[in-house]
Amino acid sequence: MNNRRLIQLFLLVLAIFLSFRVVPMAGEWKASLATDIERLSDRREQLEQLLESRDEWRGRLEKLTSGELTVVAGSLPGGRPEVASARLQSLLRGYADEAGVEVSSLSLPEFEVVGDWRLLRQVVTMRGTEAAVLGFLERLESGNMLLRVVGFEMREDRPNLHGSVTVVGFAPLADEPKESTNE
């Protein structure tokens, strides 16, 4: 009979243990599984939405790539700043000659690095008729190169205008060659 009481006591302790330890752990585990399932379901929905909009994103990428190629094609030659500066001055003189504007001076260009690009700022001092100056400005803004007028000062001296124009353009930075070590 002593064994029977021991078994009953053991079963009672087991029941208490199961009800206070194992059952709450099982409930927490079930709640954790439900949370994991919900999170995975949300993630699946997000991935399905991305999959559905794949063509839209491809179109955006192609548009950005095309825009980047357009910007690179319209930029001044990269590499050394002297090359970009010479090209900018050559363009400015060419546009001025086409428009009939007399360039009296070109300042030394100012350089500024912006991300992977070099910003060139050039001041052109010039003289010409109103129509010629407007033609020069039109050529600057509508040419193949991405040049923009950011400053404009003119004074009238019958029948011509005298003044200066500040023009900016961009050139890509060249990849700097990596130094090799001979060991």
Side-chain angles (χ1 to χ4, degrees):
M1 196 123 148
N2 214 1
N3 284 341
R4 192 170 232 189
R5 284 219 184 250
L6 232 83
I7 292 175
Q8 288 175 348
L9 182 61
F10 174 74
L11 290 176
L12 180 64
V13 170
L14 182 63
I16 292 172
F17 176 75
L18 289 176
S19 62
F20 287 107
R21 288 298 257 173
V22 175
V23 171
M25 284 183 3
E28 289 174 9
W29 181 68
K30 182 180 176 187
S32 173
L33 282 178
T35 304
D36 288 347
I37 289 171
E38 185 177 330
R39 189 175 59 242
L40 289 173
S41 176
D42 290 344
R43 181 69 178 145
R44 184 176 142 236
E45 288 175 15
Q46 288 174 345
L47 291 174
E48 285 175 351
Q49 288 174 353
L50 284 175
L51 189 59
E52 289 172 3
S53 61
R54 176 179 46 190
D55 292 335
E56 175 189 347
W57 287 106
R58 277 195 182 135
R60 287 183 182 189
L61 176 63
E62 289 171 5
K63 192 175 182 179
L64 284 173
T65 303
S66 170
E68 182 180 2
L69 292 175
T70 301
V71 168
V72 170
S75 66
L76 297 165
R80 298 181 16 208
E82 297 83 14
V83 173
S85 172
R87 178 67 175 138
L88 176 60
Q89 289 180 353
S90 173
L91 284 169
L92 293 173
R93 288 193 186 278
Y95 290 151
D97 288 344
E98 289 174 12
V101 171
E102 178 188 332
V103 174
S104 47
S105 70
L106 290 169
S107 69
L108 289 174
E110 298 174 18
F111 302 102
E112 183 179 335
V113 175
V114 180
D116 290 341
W117 294 88
R118 181 176 285 120
L119 171 76
L120 288 86
R121 184 175 294 121
Q122 178 81 54
V123 177
V124 181
T125 305
M126 62 186 178
R127 173 188 6 222
T129 64
E130 184 178 335
V133 170
L134 289 175
F136 173 69
L137 295 174
E138 175 64 29
R139 283 175 174 80
L140 276 174
E141 291 282 332
S142 65
N144 291 338
M145 291 293 173
L146 295 175
L147 303 176
R148 294 297 175 252
V149 175
V150 295
F152 182 77
E153 286 185 34
M154 286 288 157
R155 64 182 185 282
E156 186 176 17
D157 184 23
R158 295 266 181 212
N160 291 327
L161 297 175
H162 294 266
S164 64
V165 174
T166 304
V167 179
V168 295
F170 286 92
L173 290 177
D175 293 332
E176 296 180 14
K178 296 181 180 175
E179 295 181 24
S180 61
T181 59
N182 294 333
E183 294 181 27

